[in-house]
Amino acid sequence: MAEIKIGPQAGPQTDFLSTAADIAIYGGAAGGGKSYALMVECLRHSRNPAFGATIFRRTYAQVTQQGGLWDTAGQIFPLLGADPNQTMLTWRFPSGATVAFRHLQHEKDKHSYQGAQIALIGFD
């Protein structure tokens, strides 16, 4: 079987993934690789059973639409043995690490996350 390499493209993806900053902002036009970079960042922690990430979009439709975050995760996460839960929009890695996809469509939605201890929060 051929070796599969997962990693950033040279340029902004590499800069984003190599920063030592606690908060990194990576912006730009559609198609610039921001979603993929968020997935790769999650993979770095996939062997840590205490790791949990939540990646937000504005609406669930943006998470689940064809070519959206859920599809992108489905191309990458299974390569490391992760299992999807389509109902909860969550992936679980063999270690127990999780990546969840959620929305923040309305101002009041932020209250759903009060007190949550999330190791990595991504906004896509």
Side-chain angles (χ1 to χ4, degrees):
M1 179 177 261
E3 181 180 51
I4 298 172
K5 293 185 179 184
I6 301 170
Q9 297 175 1
Q13 280 185 350
T14 299
D15 294 343
F16 171 73
L17 291 165
S18 64
T19 184
D22 290 335
I23 297 173
I25 298 172
Y26 173 15
K34 299 175 296 294
S35 299
Y36 182 84
L38 282 172
M39 301 302 127
V40 173
E41 178 61 27
C42 292
L43 293 181
R44 288 207 279 196
H45 310 282
S46 65
R47 294 183 182 166
N48 179 349
F51 177 75
T54 301
I55 299 176
F56 294 97
R57 284 297 307 247
R58 182 160 185 234
T59 67
Y60 268 125
Q62 290 174 334
V63 172
T64 58
Q65 67 188 353
Q66 185 173 355
L69 288 173
W70 188 254
D71 281 358
T72 302
Q75 295 169 1
I76 303 168
F77 292 175
L79 299 173
L80 277 81
D83 291 317
N85 180 324
Q86 179 83 34
T87 304
M88 299 298 296
L89 292 180
T90 302
W91 288 85
R92 180 174 298 278
F93 290 87
S95 69
T98 60
V99 179
F101 296 94
R102 301 291 185 260
H103 75 89
L104 288 171
Q105 184 170 2
H106 306 287
E107 181 69 20
K108 66 180 180 177
D109 293 333
K110 68 184 179 186
H111 299 294
S112 298
Y113 300 94
Q114 286 182 334
Q117 295 182 19
I118 303 169
L120 186 149
I121 298 172
F123 294 94
D124 189 48

